[in-house]
Amino acid sequence: MAADLQPATAAVMSELAREALIALADAGHADQANRLAASAYVRLRHDDPVGAQRINALMHKLCRPPRKQKHEEEPVSPTDKELDVRNEPPARRHELIFENYEALGNGEGFVLVNDHDPKPLEYQFAAEHPSEYTWEYLEQGPTVWRVRIGKPAEAAS
C-alpha cells in the first residue's frame, strides 16, 4: 500500500503512524502498540527493508525498561546451540535470529544471547509465526538476556 503513495505522502503517513504508536504506548498500551508495529514490520520486511528497520527501532523504543531481576535458569536441551548476537550490528541481528529459527526442525530450539531485552523480537515472532514458536526467558538482564526460542514439537504447517 505504501508503494502506491507519493513519497511525501508516505513519509507523512509513516510519521503519523509512529506518533500514534508512541501515544498508544505512553497511554499504557505498549503491548497493543508493539503488536501493531510488529504487523507493520511483517508487511514491510521484504518489500521495504529500510521501513522495516525503522519499525524495528520504534518497537525497541516502545518496550518498557527491562526488568532487572534474574530468573532461575530453566533446563535447556544440551543440543540447543547458542546464538550470541551482542557483537553483531543491530541492523543484522533480527535477520540472523530469523535465519536460525527457519533452520530449526519441530521440537528444536536455540538460546539467544542479547545485550538488551529482545521483547520487540517476540512481537515480531507473534506477528509472523503465530502459534509456531516458543519463547522462554532464561536470564533477564541487567546486562545479558538469554531466551530459548524454538519450534513446538508439533508446529502448524
Side-chain angles (χ1 to χ4, degrees):
M1 181 166 91
D4 299 338
L5 299 175
Q6 294 296 323
T9 303
V12 168
M13 295 302 292
S14 177
E15 183 57 28
L16 288 172
R18 182 182 179 283
E19 289 175 16
L21 290 169
I22 291 170
L24 187 61
D26 288 347
H29 302 285
D31 278 348
Q32 186 178 8
N34 271 296
R35 287 183 206 294
L36 290 168
S39 292
Y41 174 86
V42 167
R43 291 180 178 131
L44 294 172
R45 185 170 170 209
H46 298 291
D47 295 334
D48 182 5
V50 172
Q53 268 313 110
R54 287 186 185 129
I55 293 292
N56 182 40
L58 174 61
M59 289 175 67
H60 282 77
K61 180 178 181 168
L62 294 175
C63 279
R64 299 274 186 241
R67 291 177 234 152
K68 299 204 178 193
Q69 75 274 14
K70 179 178 176 180
H71 286 262
E72 294 286 322
E73 279 199 21
E74 300 291 332
V76 176
S77 167
T79 59
D80 286 348
K81 83 173 196 179
E82 190 171 273
L83 176 61
D84 188 339
V85 297
R86 293 176 289 181
N87 292 322
E88 293 293 330
R92 173 89 172 106
R93 291 180 181 189
H94 287 214
E95 181 181 346
L96 272 173
I97 295 162
F98 277 107
E99 285 173 4
N100 276 268
Y101 170 80
E102 294 297 335
L104 295 174
N106 291 349
E108 295 179 336
F110 64 92
V111 176
L112 170 66
V113 180
N114 205 356
D115 56 8
H116 66 277
D117 187 351
K119 190 69 171 171
L121 179 69
E122 184 179 12
Y123 287 112
Q124 291 171 0
F125 267 100
E128 194 161 342
H129 301 284
S131 305
E132 297 174 0
Y133 74 99
T134 59
W135 182 276
E136 180 180 19
Y137 280 99
L138 304 174
E139 183 175 347
Q140 291 184 276
T143 57
V144 175
W145 279 258
R146 294 174 72 240
V147 178
R148 184 184 186 278
I149 300 171
K151 288 188 179 176
E154 297 193 22
S157 299

